[in-house]
Amino acid sequence: MSAATAVAMVAAELVHQTALGFAVAFTPDKARVGRMRRITAAHLRLWRVPGPTAENIVLAVSELVANAIEHGCGDIELTVLYSCGEVRVEVTDGNPAPAKLTVADDEDVSGRGLFLVAVLAQDWGVSADGRSTWCVFGVPTRRS
């Protein structure tokens, strides 16, 4: 299945699930990390997610997409849904080996991404088939 077909299929499904959500499928390329951050940030602004929470969500998107590009197989899909006071981020790739939380040494230049997600998110996990890594953020309500 091509990335465009996958986006169309997921977009059709999202219309029935929630009015606040998007899905993007793309080929693995390091330049996509910044683009996914920008797309996510734009949606979070439209949904009026408060600044500090939005910044944490964008950082999680960046880390999960970068992990999928580095360790995944085939096309990658980013899905972000906002419902019932929560934003759920899910990144899927073709690698059945699940993402694992590691502890990086002080001298390591990488290996902290999933740790950041675990610290910032309300919850996180990996799908049963190992192909998707997700995280959830509570969104504080705005006072009038």
Side-chain angles (χ1 to χ4, degrees), residues 39-53:
I39 290 169
T40 301
H43 279 85
L44 295 173
R45 281 191 302 276
L46 285 171
W47 303 337
R48 296 193 167 108
V49 173
T53 303

Side-chain angles (χ1 to χ4, degrees), residues 64 88-90 99 114 117 123-127 132-136:
L64 294 180
R88 178 182 173 93
V89 174
E90 186 168 328
L114 205 50
V117 172
D123 195 12
W124 77 277
V126 178
S127 64
S132 297
T133 306
W134 57 268
C135 58
V136 176

Side-chain angles (χ1 to χ4, degrees), residues 12-103:
E13 291 174 14
L14 287 176
V15 170
H16 299 290
Q17 292 178 1
T18 180
L20 300 178
F22 70 92
V24 182
F26 51 94
T27 56
D29 179 337
K30 290 182 181 184
R32 302 285 187 201
V33 176
R35 184 171 178 121
M36 295 307 113
R37 278 195 312 259
R38 289 187 296 278
I39 290 169
T40 301
H43 279 85
L44 295 173
R45 281 191 302 276
L46 285 171
W47 303 337
R48 296 193 167 108
V49 173
T53 303
E55 289 170 10
N56 290 342
I57 294 167
V58 170
L59 178 57
V61 164
S62 182
E63 295 300 337
L64 294 180
V65 168
N67 281 351
I69 290 169
E70 181 73 23
H71 305 290
C73 301
D75 288 345
I76 298 167
E77 182 179 311
L78 165 66
T79 305
V80 180
L81 300 172
Y82 183 18
S83 179
C84 300
E86 291 184 340
V87 172
R88 178 182 173 93
V89 174
E90 186 168 328
V91 176
T92 304
D93 63 60
N95 187 350
K100 292 182 183 177
L101 189 62
T102 59
V103 178

